Amino acid sequence: MRASTASLISASLLLGQASAALPPIIMKGSKFFYENGTQFFMKGIAYQQDSAARGATTNSTKYADPLANVEACKRDIPLMQALKTNTIRTYAIDPTANHDECMALLDAAGIYVISDLSEPALSINRDDPKWDVDLYKRYTGVVDNLSKYSNVIGFFAGNEVTNNNTNTPASAYVKAAVRDTKAYIKNNVKRWMGVGYAANDDADIRVQIAHYFNCGDEEDAIDYWGYNIYSWCGESSMSKSGYDTQVEFFRNYSVPVFFAEYGCNLPNGADGRIWQETEALYSKEMTDVISGGIVYMYFQETNDYGLVSVSGDSASTMANYDALKTVMSSVAPSATSMDAYTPTNSPAACPDLSKSWQVKGESLPPTPNSSLCECMFASLSCVPASSTSPKDYGDIFNYVCSETPDACAGISGNTTSGVYGAFSMCNATQQLGYVLDQYYKSQNNAAGACDFEGKATIQQGAADSTCSAALSSASAGATSTSGADSQTSSNAAVARGPVKALFGLADAAVGLYVLMAMGVGAGMVLL
């Protein structure tokens, strides 16, 4: 099918649809519903070019916002609608862009959106995780931009951030992002929109990570669980693929579960896909537990997972598009009405600390607070010089935190003890200022203690009562910030176990510091 045909379909589509907005999707227990009480099953497609989905990473920080490209939306939405698509997943949108036209086209086609909150330059790094004011601004910006559209179901606070048992501490920072994004929605949006997490299927941690994001207070936990799962390949079965095990595991889960990505391309590439797993996904064997799924992906790219080949302005459907179309036209998931459904499942217990799970209970990093960070920085006597480059930050952190570990307590974090510095959520410059000032004071304000070869300078600190308590607390130690594990520690700077320093840098300097001072490597998880 060529773009000219799709354009004709698009025109007839818009003429044939009512102008009223789609009703919002709502959650009850472990299921999704339309407002009228009919159960909602996702029949989705991942829709974004050149994204770092499917667990991939990329060195590029650029991305193409699929909801801002009106011509592409006009070309592609009819092709997705022909597949009975009712949901698309996007991996990065520009919160400053106008999405009105694409969202209206999707609405007219009966298609909802679920979007990741991050983007390549602003995402939680699995090897040196942070949840800071810059990420918070990005995440809430996406919420602000998309919340006005009734066909937005919600968001993912992370995608495969923790992907094996070597980087489980990163999940604490993603869950903090879930907590704070949910609170922002509750305070600023007049309807329900969910915040969830999309996980890979790693055998070593699949139980712990699913329980972790579901455990604790409802305000801190995910609204839904997305599984990126590729275990059903070609000719298979419920038992051979492990789908039966997944269904049994999630049967007692307290929030909706769906496949956030699926569509194994083995053994014969994208066009060899026969979509047996799609038939299974919408069968009675699965629909009691799993709320549908999202096919990976619309665009044919070098990873060979596409349904549609795009060249310039034209789009051609592939053989596996036609195969999926045949299957989707025949599926009829068995639904439950909202009135007849009484949820009985309870949240999971938090996983215990172990060699494979290095996150303590319900303790989470602090909520980013830009006003507190600005107040703290303004109160300091020793700060980075305006001419100091971020590439120099790592050396300063390394020196100060090695020579005077207590100086770094207020910006550090330890996921196994659940202790996090009060200013671990500030940006890199603010954190460096805090460390420099702590060092300067530890040297009794000695004349040369705020110099660092011209990279630090004295300023007239402006005392402000609004942040004095937090400053005092951070100077004494660090505090855990959530749940029953709340505690205070006076020696957080030298906490034992896998410490993660939260220096808030998006460049190699912080990775260098962490590598030298704490033995942890840096590697960016994109989207």
Side-chain angles (χ1 to χ4, degrees), residues 176-247:
V178 170
R179 173 200 63 199
D180 295 336
T181 307
K182 286 181 61 169
Y184 185 84
I185 291 171
K186 182 178 180 179
N187 293 330
N188 294 278
V189 182
K190 294 182 179 180
R191 67 177 180 89
W192 180 85
M193 290 196 301
V195 183
Y197 178 70
N200 67 313
D201 182 32
D202 184 88
D204 291 334
I205 59 169
R206 62 162 65 109
V207 173
Q208 293 97 322
I209 195 169
H211 286 170
Y212 176 70
F213 278 96
N214 182 237
C215 76
D217 293 338
E218 182 181 345
E219 291 79 8
D220 299 344
I222 52 168
D223 293 312
Y224 44 73
W225 179 255
Y227 227 152
N228 298 342
I229 187 166
Y230 294 84
S231 61
W232 189 309
C233 300
E235 293 274 354
S236 192
S237 66
M238 289 288 293
S239 59
K240 184 179 178 181
S241 66
Y243 273 29
D244 58 346
T245 302
Q246 301 291 351
V247 169

Side-chain angles (χ1 to χ4, degrees), residues 93-97 99 117 134-148 155 181 184:
I93 66 104
D94 179 358
T96 68
H99 299 115
L117 290 163
D134 293 332
L135 286 169
Y136 182 80
K137 181 179 179 180
R138 157 74 197 184
Y139 280 36
T140 56
V142 173
V143 171
D144 288 342
N145 186 284
L146 293 182
S147 61
K148 58 181 172 287
F155 310 95
T181 307
Y184 185 84

Side-chain angles (χ1 to χ4, degrees), residues 462-493:
D464 190 328
S465 60
T466 61
C467 62
S468 59
L471 277 168
S472 298
S473 174
S475 297
T479 59
S480 69
T481 60
S482 177
D485 297 319
S486 293
Q487 59 182 296
T488 299
S489 170
S490 61
N491 64 343

Side-chain angles (χ1 to χ4, degrees), residues 144-167:
D144 288 342
N145 186 284
L146 293 182
S147 61
K148 58 181 172 287
Y149 306 112
S150 66
N151 58 329
V152 174
I153 297 172
F155 310 95
F156 286 119
N159 181 66
E160 300 189 18
V161 182
T162 291
N163 65 352
N164 59 53
N165 64 8
T166 69
N167 48 47

